[in-house]
Amino acid sequence: MDKFKRKVLDLLKDWKDNYAPKYAALLEGARRVGKSTIAEEFAKQNYRSYIKIDFANIDDDLLSAFKDITKLDVFFLRLQTITGINLYPRESVIILDEIQLNPKARQAIKYLVADGRYDYIETGSLISIKKNVKNIVIPSEEYKIPVYPMDYEEFMWAIGNNTYDVLRQLYKSNVPAGNGTNRSLMRDFRIYMAVGGMPQAVQAYVDGKNFSFIDKVKREIIDLYIDDFKKIDESGLIGMMYKSIPSQLATQKRRYVISAATKKRKTKKDIERLSDLLDSKTVIPCYNTTDPNTTLSQTQDNDTFKLYLSDVGLFTTMIFESTPETGDTIYNRLLSDKLPADLGYLYENMAAQIIASTNRTPYYHTWEKKGSTHYYEVDFLLQAGAKIIPVEVKSASNKNHESIDAFCAKYSNRIGRPLLISQKDVGNEGQLMLKPVYMLPFVLEDL
């Protein structure tokens, strides 16, 4: 696989320059987002030598070395002898890959870091799940770095498209691109929505594979996740919770309903399963805030939330999962924006992914309409200094934005300019800013 340019490499460089050797770097993220590749690429670029220990595929001799690390001199000698790689004090790094599979090795980080001879990078999936750490002392000497699927800028780097900075300049100019240009830019962005940011799927696209092939790659990743969930909980209910996300968003439920996923009454065990699902980093929680203000987290309702998938490409595949495979015809219609279905929830998931990739927790707000059984709902709330920005997401240039208008009237003293994200070109409707979805990253940069 090609070594894609990833922004997380800059975060690792910051760790190396400012936090190592007092902390080990811990790359956290869902499986298949590229953590192992990133760690190894960083080691090659920044160290004289490195040893990578993959606990998912480790031979007995190497594994036995971790059974006793009380004598570190002997431990390091054994590592070098078994791997045939020399370690150099303060010039070498040891990568502990899939460390959640060896809790004792993770616990040993405290002593390895205190020794100070080498740097350490841990990678793992489902790291914080209780079943992996319940019998160990979790080390405090870990500098956590989140790893997300490739964002749109990283995707453009991968495919050799150098126009992302042009998009940024276009955003800053605050003038419409023009119908033809905007249609072209939206088609480019829908390619990203179709492929997603999982490196294997991006690689398949770079290699010129058709969308049927790319879809199979994504289905394999989804199946891998489902298998992972079964290892945590044999009931299979975590996988059912995961796979119900698109359908729950499609029916425009005001919140995620566990019983709608499991087809059973909610139990205490389901709350634990939900916690495990969140820990897997395969999903993005978006919490309802009961009193939207600049301290969104303080009025977060932990019982009322939505779930999105961490990768829009996997979401696209799951929308069409009822068919044995999603063929090129469906993808071509998606790219041309000619699918008959309303795909507002796909664009909503895209927006959630963009927000989460900036290390922001997404929030939304819903409230009752007076004299009605219906509700208003604002899709996302963003903090901008002492103000909040309400955001509504549409798949088309829909002129109906009743909820955001009602929100602005209700909380006029708390908000900055409201934002409508869609496929429509840059524009304004009174105070409401209109931006195409590919400009949302730049909106976030400005906050």
Side-chain angles (χ1 to χ4, degrees), residues 30 33 148-149 198 225 242 281-284 308-312 314 349 353:
V33 292
Y148 301 101
M198 303 303 283
Y225 288 170
Y242 176 72
K281 310 296 184 185
T282 60
V283 301
I284 300 166
Y308 298 94
L309 297 195
S310 61
D311 178 68
V312 70
L314 299 185
N349 198 101
Q353 182 181 337

Side-chain angles (χ1 to χ4, degrees), residues 74 79 96 109 114 135 181 220 252 287 320 438:
V74 175
L79 282 190
L96 304 171
I109 281 294
N135 295 320
T181 301
E220 287 173 3
Q252 298 183 327
Y287 293 97
F320 305 109
Y438 56 79

Side-chain angles (χ1 to χ4, degrees), residues 189-289:
F189 190 76
R190 283 194 295 270
I191 292 173
Y192 171 67
M193 293 174 69
V195 175
M198 303 303 283
Q200 282 180 298
V202 175
Q203 185 66 62
Y205 182 75
V206 170
D207 290 343
K209 302 297 185 183
N210 61 30
F211 277 104
S212 295
F213 183 93
I214 295 167
D215 192 74
K216 287 177 182 175
V217 170
K218 291 187 290 175
R219 286 180 185 241
E220 287 173 3
I221 294 171
I222 292 168
D223 289 343
L224 177 74
Y225 288 170
I226 300 302
D227 288 344
D228 279 347
F229 297 145
K230 283 181 180 175
K231 291 173 186 174
I232 298 162
D233 182 272
E234 293 180 357
S235 72
L237 292 179
I238 301 176
M240 291 174 70
M241 290 180 182
Y242 176 72
K243 295 181 85 169
S244 80
I245 291 172
S247 62
Q248 294 210 31
L249 291 171
T251 53
Q252 298 183 327
K253 293 183 184 295
R254 290 186 299 112
R255 61 187 178 92
Y256 181 85
V257 181
I258 292 176
S259 59
T262 62
K263 311 302 181 188
K264 296 180 179 180
R265 201 173 187 175
K266 188 173 79 171
T267 66
K268 287 184 179 179
K269 183 68 176 175
D270 287 333
I271 303 302
E272 183 180 333
R273 291 183 179 111
L274 175 66
S275 176
D276 290 344
L277 178 60
L278 294 176
D279 279 341
S280 74
K281 310 296 184 185
T282 60
V283 301
I284 300 166
C286 179
Y287 293 97
N288 182 29
T289 177

Side-chain angles (χ1 to χ4, degrees), residues 33-48:
V33 292
K35 300 182 300 297
S36 303
T37 303
I38 288 164
E40 196 160 6
E41 186 63 20
F42 182 78
K44 288 176 182 176
Q45 293 176 10
N46 292 276
Y47 291 91
R48 185 176 173 185

Side-chain angles (χ1 to χ4, degrees), residues 401-444:
H401 36 77
E402 180 186 24
S403 290
I404 204 165
D405 292 342
F407 184 90
C408 292
K410 186 176 182 181
Y411 299 107
S412 58
N413 63 329
R414 301 182 185 182
I415 65 170
R417 289 194 66 184
L419 175 64
L420 180 66
I421 294 293
S422 70
Q423 300 187 67
K424 191 174 181 179
D425 203 353
V426 172
N428 300 283
E429 288 185 19
Q431 276 292 100
L432 185 64
M433 295 186 294
L434 309 179
K435 301 288 183 186
V437 63
Y438 56 79
M439 285 190 177
L440 181 55
F442 310 125
V443 174
L444 296 168

Side-chain angles (χ1 to χ4, degrees), residues 12-14 28 44 48 103 106 109 122 131 150 154 195 212 366 370 375-376 378 399 401 413 416 420 435:
L12 276 168
K13 188 67 168 65
D14 179 63
E28 278 192 308
K44 288 176 182 176
R48 185 176 173 185
R106 188 180 179 196
I109 281 294
E122 303 167 84
K131 296 172 181 62
M150 296 168 71
E154 290 172 321
V195 175
S212 295
T366 181
K370 284 185 180 179
Y375 285 77
Y376 292 114
V378 174
K399 291 192 176 292
H401 36 77
N413 63 329
L420 180 66
K435 301 288 183 186

Side-chain angles (χ1 to χ4, degrees), residues 62-100:
L62 200 50
L63 188 60
S64 67
F66 281 87
K67 291 179 179 176
D68 181 13
I69 64 163
T70 53
K71 298 176 182 177
L72 287 176
D73 289 343
V74 175
F75 171 71
F76 291 131
L77 269 177
R78 290 188 71 186
L79 282 190
Q80 293 173 89
T81 302
I82 294 166
T83 62
I85 297 168
N86 291 331
L87 294 173
Y88 304 93
R90 303 306 323 135
E91 295 182 273
S92 297
V93 63
I94 297 174
I95 300 170
L96 304 171
D97 199 20
E98 302 288 3
I99 198 168
Q100 81 279 356

Side-chain angles (χ1 to χ4, degrees), residues 182-190 347 423 436-438:
N182 181 62
R183 276 198 301 271
S184 176
L185 293 173
M186 272 308 312
R187 181 178 170 82
D188 288 346
F189 190 76
R190 283 194 295 270
Y347 286 85
Q423 300 187 67
V437 63
Y438 56 79

